[in-house]
Amino acid sequence: MSITPLMPVYPRCGVRPVRGDHCHLIDEGGTRYLDFASGIAVNLLGHSHEGLIGAIQRQAATLMHVSNLYGSPQGEALAQRLVDKTFADTVFFTNSGAEAVECAIKTARAYHQAAGNDGRYELITFTNAFHGRTMATISASNQEKMHKGFMPLLGGFRYVEFDDLEGAKAAIGPDTAGFLVEPIQGEGGIRPASEAFMKGLRALADEHDLMLVLDEVQCGVARTGKFYAHEHYGIEPDILASAKGIGGGFPLGACLATEKAARGMGFGTHGSTYGGNPLAMAAGTAVMDAVANDEFLAEVTEKGERIRARLEQFIGNYPDLFELVRGKGLMLGLKMKVESRPFFVHLRDNHQLLTVAAGDNTLRVLPPLVIGDAEIDEFFDKLSAGAADYVIPEAA
Ligand SMILES: *Cc1c(COP(=O)(O)O)cnc(C)c1O
């Protein structure tokens, strides 16, 4: 047998972490890496947060899992906190981002079908989007590399150029149920939508009775200096998918909706065995305790602005390597003039700096939100050293 016991769907690298220490990862061989990837925007409290660890330990010893057939004081409490903090009136808890998007898609379809509009099932989605790896969520993205081998796709998605409001408007037809969009594309290369685009989608949704569904799986939960990124745009969605940072490393996602948007989601319409179990709720509550306050959010904004200013200055020294910096808060992208993946590998293997490669030759900078001055300085030391000794690989 030549297949590996772990299904070989990931091209895994030689870094094999076995321990976390605040904003660093330590691998099998004892090498320390500065973690500015955060498990792809997940470990927003780093790896040693006492509040999060304590909450999970206490809950694990008290009650880990019960069925959603029973009442959930833990789920009610966390849902109430999310409702109090956001546009939403109601929350469905999931175990992942794709499941949160899946619930959002079902909620948007059910909104129309509950009113007898069975033909209004199509969501308008945007180029280079990433919504997850289930059949529905790959179908929602135009990225063919995710479709290959898995045809046929699920119907009911129409792709329009990202940030193209006129295109979105022109795509509206009698089948349209709504829009599904990342306010800041993550995998696509840390690309923030323009304010005109987001405000325009909101206005189109209001005008045509469409659902504005936001995928904030990567950009949500304090990452950009707001609790959710749409707050930067001065708009509110009807439905929102959240995950990644929301559990701080514990698998947790959530689909948030207004009362109106959730009108089709009655008894028996949706479910999940694990979704919202007491252990997940303890993790989510500990994360909310830490990040859902103005002081913490202001610190994220301040640190983000500081890193951004230093990055802008830094890239000026390497005009052949870097084009620009984009993003918000601590969701930053360095768009490169050369292929970004080999540089990301160089930083990882030769300078023990973990970042994440993304589309559009962008290097994602996604540190834990709890970084301090020492980690920021270490990041720039490693990045500068990495740029200084980088040899651009010859095209194959
Ligand atoms: C990561 C991500 C997802 C999928 O989340 P999983 O937990 O991997 O299923 C969906 N949407 C966006 C924007 C993401 O970044």
Side-chain angles (χ1 to χ4, degrees):
M1 217 182 288
S2 66
I3 195 164
T4 48
L6 262 184
M7 194 181 277
V9 295
Y10 280 103
R12 292 171 188 274
C13 72
V15 180
R16 299 165 61 84
V18 290
R19 197 157 66 78
D21 176 17
H22 190 44
C23 300
H24 289 81
L25 287 175
I26 296 107
D27 83 355
E28 279 176 334
T31 306
R32 274 177 84 84
Y33 293 84
L34 179 65
D35 186 9
F36 270 40
S38 308
I40 315 189
V42 169
N43 304 99
L44 36 70
L45 302 177
H47 301 283
S48 315
H49 192 270
E50 286 180 12
L52 178 59
I53 295 168
I56 291 172
Q57 285 176 334
R58 280 191 301 279
Q59 190 63 48
T62 308
L63 179 65
M64 248 189 267
H65 175 82
V66 294
S67 166
N68 281 313
L69 297 172
Y70 307 112
S72 174
Q74 308 86 357
E76 285 166 9
L78 183 55
Q80 184 66 54
R81 291 196 50 185
L82 286 164
V83 164
D84 290 344
K85 189 77 195 154
T86 68
F87 73 97
D89 301 311
T90 192
V91 181
F92 180 86
F93 290 112
T94 69
N95 314 292
S96 69
E99 285 174 89
V101 178
E102 186 84 25
C103 179
I105 293 167
K106 287 179 72 175
T107 303
R109 286 188 173 190
Y111 169 78
H112 294 289
Q113 294 183 26
N117 296 317
D118 289 5
R120 295 183 67 181
Y121 57 82
E122 190 173 80
L123 286 172
I124 295 170
T125 66
F126 298 91
T127 50
N128 298 311
F130 182 80
H131 298 299
R133 295 293 202 141
T134 63
M135 281 308 307
T137 55
I138 63 172
S139 302
S141 171
N142 78 321
Q143 296 195 52
E144 281 171 15
K145 62 177 191 239
M146 295 196 295
H147 299 162
K148 205 171 168 287
F150 302 113
M151 306 304 274
L153 299 181
L154 181 72
F157 298 97
R158 180 188 294 259
Y159 315 132
V160 168
E161 193 66 34
F162 181 65
D163 218 31
D164 175 6
L165 185 60
E166 285 311 309
K169 186 176 177 184
I172 297 171
D175 300 344
T176 310
F179 302 108
L180 168 61
V181 64
E182 296 160 86
I184 304 176
Q185 287 192 335
E187 307 297 311
I190 313 290
R191 280 188 283 203
S194 64
E195 186 158 338
F197 179 68
M198 294 300 291
K199 285 202 154 89
L201 290 185
R202 178 68 270 172
L204 286 172
D206 290 340
E207 188 183 332
H208 298 275
D209 187 26
L210 304 175
M211 292 285 99
L212 178 59
V213 183
L214 297 185
D215 181 346
E216 292 221 22
V217 169
Q218 191 158 154
C219 60
V221 192
R223 174 59 52 191
T224 69
K226 300 280 188 194
F227 190 69
Y228 280 119
H230 65 263
E231 298 167 41
H232 290 288
Y233 294 92
I235 56 135
E236 290 187 339
D238 303 293
I239 303 168
L240 179 148
S242 189
K244 289 203 164 93
I246 198 172
F250 193 89
L252 173 63
C255 175
L256 283 63
T258 63
E259 180 170 12
K260 182 182 170 196
R263 71 184 178 191
M265 302 303 281
F267 291 143
T269 55
H270 197 50
S272 167
T273 297
Y274 291 135
N277 84 11
L279 193 53
M281 297 299 92
T285 301
V287 169
M288 286 287 284
D289 285 344
V291 310
N293 62 79
D294 291 344
E295 207 182 345
F296 187 90
L297 294 168
E299 281 173 25
V300 171
T301 302
E302 187 276 322
K303 287 184 273 198
E305 281 169 2
R306 200 141 42 95
I307 294 178
R308 193 190 180 111
R310 281 177 74 172
L311 279 175
E312 304 270 9
Q313 206 174 32
F314 160 79
I315 67 172
N317 301 331
Y318 297 95
D320 297 339
L321 284 183
F322 304 104
E323 187 173 330
L324 51 84
V325 185
R326 61 190 169 197
K328 283 186 162 67
L330 290 171
M331 183 179 189
L332 292 168
L334 260 180
K335 179 165 159 56
M336 300 190 67
K337 287 183 180 165
V338 296
E339 262 193 274
S340 66
R341 190 164 289 275
F343 184 65
F344 141 83
V345 170
H346 169 69
L347 291 177
R348 181 189 74 204
D349 293 347
N350 300 326
H351 296 278
Q352 292 71 51
L353 171 59
L354 304 179
T355 57
V356 195
D360 199 31
N361 283 323
T362 303
L363 192 75
R364 270 182 282 180
V365 178
L366 299 168
L369 305 184
V370 294
I371 47 167
D373 294 348
E375 288 80 23
I376 295 175
D377 287 343
E378 185 182 347
F379 169 70
F380 279 99
D381 287 348
K382 288 183 184 305
L383 182 66
S384 303
D389 69 358
Y390 187 55
V391 181
I392 300 170
E394 307 228 4

